[in-house]
Amino acid sequence: EKMAARMVWGAVVRTGVDLRLSRALGTSAAVCRRAAPLGPMPNEDIDVTDLDSLKKYRSWTRYMKFAEEASGKPQWWKTYRQHVIQDDGAEKIDIGLPQFQLPRSQQLRKRKRVLRENHRDSELERESRLYRLRIPLDEVKADWERINGPYHCQRVAEHYGIYRDLFPGATFVPRVVLRVLYSPDGKSSAQVHCGNELTPTEAGSPPEVKFSAEEGSLWTLLLTSPDEHLRDNESEYVHWLVGNIPGNAVQSGEEVCHYLPPFPAKGTGFHRFIFVLFKQDGPVNFKDDYRPSPCHSLTMRTFRTVDFYRTHQDAITPAGLAFFQAQWDMSVTHTFHELLNMKEPIFEFDRPPVYHPPQKKYPHAQPLRYLERYRENHKPTYGIY
């Protein structure tokens, strides 16, 4: 009990718990009491001494049916995901494009038709029997990007906090596949996926953007970074904004703000650079969003995606998403000095002073370099313990 009381007191001192509550806390820790559960525990109604009398499932299908019914019932405990992810309980608003899906009956008929055609194909059966059948991976990838790819991109964007920082309280499924390709030297290429790493040198020039679009449709393309702003954590810097894009011809669109290369400050780690594609219901007037060309003023490039969307939400709908991460390299220095015409900010970590325990007169079982810790010099002695 004394040891438990000392541990509780140490925890109180470290965490700053109110001392008026320490008595109750210390008592409960010393006697190791366990609070009663808030509801029935799982499987507490099962008699473990007579397991043979339990009802058998007899089949995997019946087991899965009972498991799905049990998982759908509300429980009083929290799952691991609910403990880790702090959710305020508010349901997010879907601001994306609606999903157009064939009825289940038509999907089954289409699937059965494909199966019948495969069974009738004698050449396909022969190649499969001789282990020479080749699967068209390009077609498999295209089907995956069309069916499961948007939901995968949404989950990754949720993990990286894209919707939280750009569209607070909202989300959308990027149903339009956005292909962004950088070609810094005209030969090699770097493609933007969902959170992959690129260097600012690779992203130094405007990329080639492709997406599937109907004839006569209009689009808006935005490139922004929620991590770069040097003064306001709630604001962003707009790097590229093109509106009224006819079809998928980005070069024929109306350039509202010209392209600016990424410039993550030195010492600030990785920054997110996000491409958002909006589908327009018709021509949009961007007169209040125009920046002069060239625009090398960070004040004029201060931007908030949620404010931009609220201004034009009756005419634009988020449809596509792609983003990459970048950290400082030598091209950022050129961007600050030559394009932005300002001193480059550098952030450094202030190391705390090196702690050494009091020196022992007769050190036992210590390394040979034990005395190096206590020499009268200012050089840090890391890695000698």
Side-chain angles (χ1 to χ4, degrees):
E1 292 184 358
K2 292 181 179 180
M3 183 177 296
R6 286 198 298 268
M7 293 173 62
V8 172
W9 175 255
V12 170
V13 173
R14 289 194 302 270
T15 58
V17 180
D18 192 354
L19 296 179
R20 292 172 296 178
L21 304 178
S22 62
R23 177 173 298 179
L25 182 63
T27 304
S28 62
V31 298
C32 299
R33 291 179 180 175
R34 294 181 59 184
L38 301 178
M41 297 297 290
N43 300 329
E44 69 176 2
D45 56 335
I46 296 178
D47 185 10
V48 295
T49 60
D50 188 14
L51 296 178
D52 294 335
S53 62
L54 294 178
K55 184 180 179 181
K56 306 298 189 298
Y57 293 108
R58 302 296 182 185
S59 69
W60 172 258
T61 304
R62 185 177 300 176
Y63 166 75
M64 288 301 300
K65 181 181 178 181
F66 280 98
E68 291 176 358
E69 292 177 357
S71 63
K73 295 179 181 179
Q75 304 293 347
W76 60 267
W77 60 78
K78 287 185 178 180
T79 63
Y80 174 77
R81 181 179 295 273
Q82 291 171 344
H83 277 287
V84 173
I85 301 177
Q86 299 296 332
D87 193 1
D88 55 2
E91 185 177 358
K92 294 186 178 180
I93 302 174
D94 189 354
I95 59 176
L97 295 175
Q99 181 183 9
F100 297 99
Q101 189 175 7
L102 292 175
R104 181 66 176 174
S105 59
Q106 295 186 17
Q107 295 182 16
L108 291 176
R109 284 199 297 268
K110 182 179 179 181
R111 188 177 302 173
K112 290 180 180 179
R113 185 175 66 253
V114 173
L115 289 176
R116 285 196 300 267
E117 292 175 356
N118 290 340
H119 284 303
R120 294 171 184 172
D121 192 346
S122 59
E123 185 65 24
L124 183 66
E125 186 275 334
R126 182 173 180 273
E127 294 294 324
S128 176
R129 179 164 41 82
L130 297 177
Y131 300 100
R132 296 187 307 194
L133 180 62
R134 294 185 177 273
I135 300 176
L137 297 181
D138 295 338
E139 297 180 8
V140 174
K141 182 180 179 181
D143 286 343
W144 181 88
E145 290 180 346
R146 179 176 54 85
I147 300 174
N148 297 328
Y151 300 99
H152 171 77
C153 184
Q154 183 188 27
R155 289 193 298 269
V156 175
E158 287 281 0
H159 174 76
Y160 280 94
I162 302 299
Y163 301 114
R164 179 197 61 205
D165 296 336
L166 298 191
F167 304 97
T171 184
F172 67 92
V173 180
R175 304 195 182 278
V176 179
V177 180
L178 193 60
R179 305 184 187 279
V180 183
L181 191 66
Y182 281 100
S183 300
D185 54 2
K187 297 180 181 179
S188 60
S189 59
Q191 186 173 352
V192 178
H193 298 285
C194 292
N196 58 314
E197 180 185 350
L198 298 181
T199 62
T201 302
E202 294 175 330
S205 57
E208 179 184 2
V209 182
K210 297 181 180 179
F211 54 91
S212 300
E214 304 88 358
E215 185 177 357
S217 59
L218 294 175
W219 305 79
T220 297
L221 181 64
L222 168 68
L223 172 59
T224 182
S225 175
D227 305 322
E228 267 188 329
H229 208 283
L230 299 175
R231 296 184 179 274
D232 186 7
N233 291 334
E234 301 297 327
S235 299
E236 312 159 21
Y237 285 137
V238 55
H239 283 261
W240 199 24
L241 182 58
V242 185
N244 295 320
I245 301 173
N248 57 3
V250 179
Q251 66 279 3
S252 302
E254 180 183 352
E255 193 170 55
V256 181
C257 182
H258 73 92
Y259 185 83
L260 181 67
F263 51 93
K266 188 174 183 178
T268 57
F270 284 97
H271 291 203
R272 297 164 296 173
F273 297 89
I274 307 164
F275 289 89
V276 183
L277 181 68
F278 299 90
K279 186 175 184 180
Q280 301 177 196
D281 297 336
V284 179
N285 187 2
F286 294 104
K287 64 177 183 179
D288 297 333
D289 303 301
Y290 261 96
R291 269 74 170 175
S293 183
C295 178
H296 295 146
S297 170
L298 295 183
T299 303
M300 298 185 67
R301 283 189 176 266
T302 298
F303 184 82
R304 289 195 69 196
T305 303
V306 63
D307 294 339
F308 173 78
Y309 175 71
R310 286 171 180 167
T311 304
H312 306 286
Q313 63 180 346
D314 295 333
I316 62 176
T317 304
L321 181 69
F323 64 99
F324 67 95
Q325 301 180 85
Q327 62 178 345
W328 182 91
D329 69 357
M330 290 301 296
S331 66
V332 177
T333 303
H334 176 271
T335 301
F336 275 109
H337 292 175
E338 302 298 332
L339 297 182
L340 302 178
N341 194 21
M342 61 179 290
K343 292 182 178 180
E344 181 184 8
I346 298 177
F347 298 86
E348 296 181 350
F349 177 73
D350 294 333
R351 280 186 176 272
V354 181
Y355 169 76
H356 295 305
Q359 184 177 3
K360 296 180 181 179
K361 185 174 182 180
Y362 301 104
H364 176 68
Q366 295 292 337
L368 295 177
R369 296 181 59 190
Y370 175 79
L371 295 179
E372 290 287 340
R373 308 177 191 174
Y374 306 97
R375 288 185 180 275
E376 295 182 357
N377 55 22
H378 300 286
K379 295 182 180 180
T381 56
Y382 303 111
I384 64 173
Y385 293 97

